[in-house]
Amino acid sequence: MIKSCFVCLATLFLSFYSFSIDTLQVEKDIYNKINSYRAKIGKSKLAYAPQNVQSCRKHSISMGTSVKLQHVESLSEVNALAEIIQINYTLGRTEIETAQDVLDIFIESASHKKIIESNYKEISVGVFITTDDDIWVTVRFY
């Protein structure tokens, strides 16, 4: 009986509790996670390019609303040298956990890892989180 009541209370609590993720904080945390990873392997810190963030966000929104993972047609259109994109269906419980999940998935891909480890100077990050808590990420390197 006590165990049954505990399960009911836990279920009730979780149904009212919503994990709220701050998109801007996730963007900052992804930036910081990428730079922390680069520091561990002896690479220089990438400067943040705020002038390009809106373009990254728009691309993430476009991917999320069309439910289609795709790169831009031409990097020169967005003044970037490289781009990595991702959809993550397992949104972390916090911004920092979400950012770590994004980095881990990028590092598992040889081509994405190579871009992160390359000698770029700047980075921009744009995130879009759907109502289903899917996270669409665009990271561009300059």
Side-chain angles (χ1 to χ4, degrees):
M1 169 105 172
I2 293 174
K3 185 177 179 181
S4 176
C5 288
F6 176 76
V7 171
C8 289
L9 286 173
T11 303
L12 183 64
F13 172 76
L14 290 174
S15 69
F16 287 107
Y17 184 78
S18 174
F19 296 114
S20 178
I21 298 290
D22 180 344
T23 303
L24 298 177
Q25 189 61 51
V26 172
E27 291 173 349
K28 291 176 189 173
D29 289 342
I30 291 170
Y31 166 73
N32 289 328
K33 287 287 183 182
I34 288 173
N35 273 323
S36 293
Y37 172 80
R38 288 174 57 87
K40 288 179 188 174
I41 61 167
K43 293 288 185 176
S44 62
K45 180 178 180 178
L46 296 166
Y48 200 66
Q51 69 276 15
N52 298 315
V53 171
Q54 278 305 107
S55 174
C56 290
R57 287 181 186 147
K58 285 180 184 177
H59 188 69
S60 293
I61 291 167
S62 175
M63 290 189 300
T65 55
S66 67
V67 192
K68 184 176 180 184
L69 195 62
Q70 61 189 15
H71 287 282
V72 292
E73 289 185 26
S74 170
L75 287 172
S76 63
E77 289 178 16
V78 291
N79 300 315
L81 299 172
E83 175 184 76
I84 55 179
I85 57 175
Q86 180 185 130
I87 179 172
N88 188 333
Y89 294 106
T90 56
L91 187 64
R93 291 179 303 279
T94 66
E95 289 85 353
I96 199 75
E97 289 171 345
T98 299
Q100 186 63 54
D101 291 345
V102 168
L103 177 65
D104 291 345
I105 292 169
F106 279 144
I107 298 305
E108 289 173 6
S109 162
S111 60
H112 290 125
K113 183 177 180 181
K114 182 178 177 181
I115 291 171
I116 289 172
E117 294 178 355
S118 292
N119 293 322
Y120 298 109
K121 303 293 182 209
E122 295 181 305
I123 187 175
S124 292
V125 179
V127 168
F128 173 64
I129 301 173
T130 68
T131 56
D132 295 331
D133 288 337
D134 297 336
I135 180 170
W136 296 80
V137 180
T138 302
V139 181
R140 294 197 179 125
F141 296 81
Y142 310 90

